[in-house]
Amino acid sequence: MAGKREAGGEIYGRLGRNLRVARLRAGLTQAEVADRAGLSIPFVSFLESARKKGSVDTYDRLARAVGLPVAELFREDHPKPGRPAPSPFDGLSAPERRAVVQLLRSL
């Protein structure tokens, strides 16, 4: 029985790590991801650290918030988080980023 618990823990650990990597690559804060996904900031933090488990719907909403298909969060080969690549959005506030995203979506 312990093996099953460990395997499940590994999956949620992977989901959390991959979510964090994706969030950093997108240049987003936990607050921005939480806002986009309709979740609380502490819950996003708990999911990234695998201290809590989310539903499939929750992980789907988070994946969309960082611009990925949900399947990408399950990948085993994501590199460890590092400094995200420079973004054309660097220096913009969260409201300015949202305005740019809305503008691009309207095109």
Side-chain angles (χ1 to χ4, degrees):
M1 193 78 154
K4 287 186 179 182
R5 282 191 209 133
E6 289 174 1
E10 289 175 21
I11 290 168
Y12 288 104
R14 181 184 327 137
L15 285 165
R17 284 188 303 275
N18 289 346
L19 174 60
R20 182 172 187 270
V21 168
R23 176 179 61 78
L24 293 173
R25 284 185 177 162
L28 299 170
T29 65
Q30 287 181 340
E32 290 168 324
V33 170
D35 182 55
R36 290 177 180 196
L39 302 168
S40 71
I41 299 166
F43 191 52
V44 171
S45 175
F46 289 143
L47 292 172
E48 283 189 359
S49 63
R51 288 181 286 170
K52 295 223 181 230
K53 299 174 184 174
S55 67
V56 172
D57 178 63
T58 297
Y59 289 108
D60 183 57
R61 289 164 47 194
L62 288 164
R64 290 174 190 266
V66 297
L68 292 176
V70 71
E72 286 295 309
L73 294 181
F74 288 88
R75 292 180 58 115
E76 293 185 36
D77 59 349
H78 278 292
K80 293 186 178 182
R83 188 158 192 256
S87 164
F89 297 110
D90 287 348
L92 296 180
S93 68
E96 290 170 329
R97 286 182 186 191
R98 281 192 291 273
V100 170
V101 169
Q102 285 177 340
L103 174 66
L104 292 173
R105 285 183 179 159
S106 71
L107 299 177

